[in-house]
Amino acid sequence: MEENNTKSIKGIKIRSLNLLMIFLACILYLLLIYATFYASHYFSTLVSATEQFVTCEHNADLVQEYSDYLTEQTRLYTLTKDPEYLEAYFREILIDQHREHALEALSSHHAGDEAFVHLQGALDASNGLIEQEVYAMMLSAASSGYDLKELLLKLPLDIPPEIQNMELPAQDLNLTSKELSDKAREIVFGASYQESKLMIETNITYFLTHILDTHKKLQSDSTQDLKKTLTRQQILISVLFVENVLTFIMIIQLIVKPLQIYVSNIKDEKKLEIIGSYEFKYLALTYNSIYELNVANEATLRYQAEHDPLTGIINRGAFEHLKQFFQSNPKPLAFLIIDVDKFKLINDGYGHEIGDMVLKKVAKLLEESFRATDYPARIGGDEFAVVITDVTLSLSKQIQNKIISMNEVLMNPTDGLPKVSLSVGGAFSENGFTEDLYQKADSALYDVKEHGRCGCRFYEDMENQTVENS
């Protein structure tokens, strides 16, 4: 019936409309992410180009700075013959090598492009200067009557063989001290030397100019691409805003209004009206079916709620309902009150967890020992009760035998639980659960406890014994 009703439902499907809006939103978000990614890429390219230019400029400055430094040390040595300048010169070209490291850094970033041609020219000119500078220092040393190789051996440096093996040309050996000194100064102060220095500066300038031009072009391209990407982002955000507004209107018209009506129906505890979109009509039919089912199952749910959570049998509240039921339905029954003997000692000696397991065991034995039409219940901590339906006093012996069997199981445990026993007091009634039935069973229970526990006694047996004794 319900299936036929749902097949006849007509209306806008919010699910389909919602999927469409989600799909459009996802597309817009993906496009936004795509545009943001490229904006970040263009910005990173711009930053990277700027950082690279700054690094190149710094390294180029180092090349120029330490090229001038070597020139200065060479010139000072040719003028003063002080070995301190000689050591400073060779320490730079052999150990510190600031200029060489800067050139390597520049070469690693720009090998193979047009800028590298100028950089290589600066490197070649710099190496040529080193040869001239060493030659000038050899002449200057010779002018003072020293061999440069001997001076180098006194320095705390590892001089490479190619420098140690350098010799003055034959034509220089016949020069006087003054001529040697003049020639050395001419080398480092002359026009040829200045041209080599100028060549280094020119090549480095060309290199930096090329890098700057490349950077400006890259910056301009990245800026234009970034502007275009930001414009796309603005358009996408605007479209996404419109899409969100439409979604909001759809929610108001197709979801919020029907919900308001349904809330009113639920507060009034009525079935839902079959209105709204396809989904809400379907929801109303489903809710109405569940509503009817809940009414039909209310008794079952109440029954489940009235069971003791530890033992699984009915609890004190359900037992009170049973009393009321059997008070208004006068049928023959027996009522038992059951106490677990010395249960406090079990809790104190073995712990509450073992105590709970003992209570579960007792409840299970009660369920297994009595019929499905009987009602075992837990009415207190270690106190149980059983309402036995459709029985008379003639069956008291059978009931006592059940209790004896239960006590045998409890007193001879095979499950690792401690020994325990039951004290049971009972009473019979021909007219349902009478007002004094509980008191009678409780009196019988008291008598069992007075005579050593672990047994079962019925109030009727106590009365008969009293009559016989009198």
Side-chain angles (χ1 to χ4, degrees):
M1 180 65 178
E2 180 184 346
E3 184 177 354
N4 293 333
N5 289 337
T6 56
K7 287 182 178 179
S8 63
I9 296 175
K10 296 181 180 180
I12 298 175
K13 289 189 175 183
I14 296 179
R15 180 176 179 272
S16 301
L17 189 57
N18 189 47
L19 287 175
L20 176 61
M21 301 303 283
I22 290 175
F23 176 76
L24 292 176
C26 289
I27 294 297
L28 291 171
Y29 275 118
L30 288 174
L31 290 174
L32 270 174
I33 292 172
Y34 180 81
T36 303
F37 171 79
Y38 271 94
S40 176
H41 170 71
Y42 295 139
F43 180 75
S44 298
T45 301
L46 185 62
V47 172
S48 177
T50 303
E51 291 176 350
Q52 187 176 5
F53 174 76
V54 171
T55 301
C56 290
E57 187 177 38
H58 173 69
N59 287 321
D61 288 342
L62 286 178
V63 172
Q64 185 65 52
E65 177 184 349
Y66 281 94
S67 178
D68 292 341
Y69 175 79
L70 292 176
T71 297
E72 179 184 8
Q73 301 307 309
T74 303
R75 288 175 172 175
L76 288 171
Y77 179 72
T78 58
L79 291 173
T80 65
K81 310 296 191 301
D82 188 344
E84 177 184 351
Y85 302 116
L86 184 67
E87 180 181 352
Y89 179 89
F90 282 99
R91 180 177 295 279
E92 169 57 29
I93 65 172
L94 296 177
I95 297 178
D96 296 335
Q97 297 182 330
H98 293 95
R99 185 183 59 173
E100 283 72 13
H101 293 325
L103 287 169
E104 288 177 5
L106 291 172
S107 301
S108 64
H109 287 294
H110 298 281
D113 61 14
E114 183 180 348
F116 184 71
V117 175
H118 299 294
L119 187 62
Q120 188 64 44
L123 179 60
D124 294 340
S126 179
N127 290 333
L129 277 182
I130 292 177
E131 294 178 2
Q132 294 182 56
E133 290 163 351
V134 173
Y135 179 45
M137 286 188 287
M138 288 180 68
L139 291 172
S140 183
S143 70
S144 299
Y146 295 105
D147 187 345
L148 183 63
K149 292 184 289 183
E150 295 177 358
L151 294 175
L152 293 178
L153 291 175
K154 295 178 181 180
L155 299 178
L157 302 171
D158 293 330
I159 308 300
E162 57 268 23
I163 295 179
Q164 292 182 13
N165 296 331
M166 290 181 66
E167 299 285 349
L168 286 175
Q171 65 268 22
D172 293 334
L173 297 177
N174 297 323
L175 296 176
T176 65
S177 175
K178 184 177 184 306
E179 289 173 337
L180 289 171
S181 181
D182 290 341
K183 186 174 183 178
R185 294 171 184 174
E186 176 62 25
I187 290 174
V188 295
F189 287 98
S192 176
Y193 187 86
Q194 294 297 339
E195 287 178 2
S196 296
K197 291 282 293 182
L198 181 60
M199 183 178 296
I200 294 174
E201 294 177 4
T202 302
N203 279 294
I204 290 177
T205 301
Y206 285 154
F207 171 80
L208 289 176
T209 301
H210 177 81
I211 295 300
L212 181 59
D213 291 342
T214 302
H215 167 72
K216 286 182 177 178
K217 183 178 185 306
L218 183 60
Q219 185 183 41
S220 177
D221 293 343
S222 298
T223 302
Q224 292 299 320
D225 291 336
L226 187 59
K227 287 181 178 178
K228 292 178 182 177
T229 304
L230 291 176
T231 301
R232 295 191 191 101
Q233 281 185 318
Q234 292 173 352
I235 295 172
L236 289 171
I237 291 173
S238 300
V239 174
L240 186 60
F241 174 77
V242 173
E243 195 263 351
N244 286 333
V245 171
L246 293 176
T247 302
F248 180 75
I249 294 173
M250 178 193 73
I251 292 173
I252 293 295
Q253 296 296 324
L254 301 179
I255 298 177
V256 175
K257 286 186 177 180
L259 278 177
Q260 290 174 339
I261 295 174
Y262 285 177
V263 168
S264 177
N265 292 151
I266 292 172
K267 285 182 178 179
D268 295 339
E269 296 184 356
K270 298 189 299 185
K271 292 183 180 181
L272 301 184
E273 298 180 29
I274 312 300
I275 59 172
S277 66
Y278 173 86
E279 286 84 359
F280 278 96
K281 291 178 180 178
Y282 190 94
L283 174 64
L285 287 174
T286 304
Y287 174 87
N288 292 341
S289 298
I290 295 174
Y291 179 86
E292 294 171 355
L293 182 62
N294 285 341
V295 172
N297 291 339
E298 185 177 354
T300 302
L301 294 175
R302 185 184 303 113
Y303 173 81
Q304 293 175 349
E306 291 174 348
H307 276 64
D308 178 55
L310 176 65
T311 61
I313 61 178
I314 61 177
N315 57 23
R316 183 62 182 253
F319 171 73
E320 294 298 330
H321 288 300
L322 279 174
K323 284 174 58 178
Q324 295 176 8
F325 175 78
F326 285 114
Q327 284 173 356
S328 58
N329 291 273
K331 295 181 180 179
L333 56 83
F335 173 61
L336 305 179
I337 300 178
I338 304 166
D339 268 3
V340 180
D341 295 329
K342 299 180 179 180
F343 182 72
K344 185 177 184 303
L345 297 178
I346 295 175
N347 266 342
D348 294 341
Y350 295 92
H352 289 282
E353 184 176 355
I354 297 299
D356 289 347
M357 295 176 67
V358 169
L359 294 177
K360 290 180 181 179
K361 183 177 180 179
V362 171
K364 184 178 180 182
L365 284 173
L366 289 174
E367 286 186 311
E368 293 175 349
S369 300
F370 292 94
R371 303 166 300 175
T373 56
D374 300 330
Y375 299 92
R378 183 186 178 195
I379 60 175
D382 60 339
E383 188 176 8
F384 294 85
V386 181
V387 177
I388 307 172
T389 61
D390 298 320
V391 294
T392 60
L393 182 61
S394 61
L395 296 176
S396 63
K397 195 64 178 177
Q398 289 89 328
I399 296 174
Q400 287 177 330
N401 289 335
K402 289 179 182 291
I403 302 302
I404 292 172
S405 298
M406 291 174 62
N407 273 327
E408 288 179 356
V409 172
L410 295 171
M411 292 294 292
N412 300 281
T414 59
D415 51 8
L417 294 177
K419 294 181 180 181
V420 72
S421 62
L422 302 178
S423 295
V424 182
F428 288 88
S429 172
E430 295 291 335
N431 299 308
F433 207 107
T434 59
E435 293 183 0
D436 60 348
L437 187 62
Y438 193 101
Q439 184 63 40
K440 289 179 179 180
D442 190 57
S443 297
L445 174 62
Y446 179 79
D447 187 72
V448 172
K449 290 183 177 181
E450 285 291 309
H451 291 82
R453 297 184 173 86
C454 188
C456 177
R457 192 78 183 271
F458 285 97
Y459 179 81
E460 288 75 12
D461 293 338
M462 292 169 56
E463 282 191 328
N464 292 336
Q465 186 177 2
T466 301
V467 172
E468 290 175 0
N469 291 336
S470 62

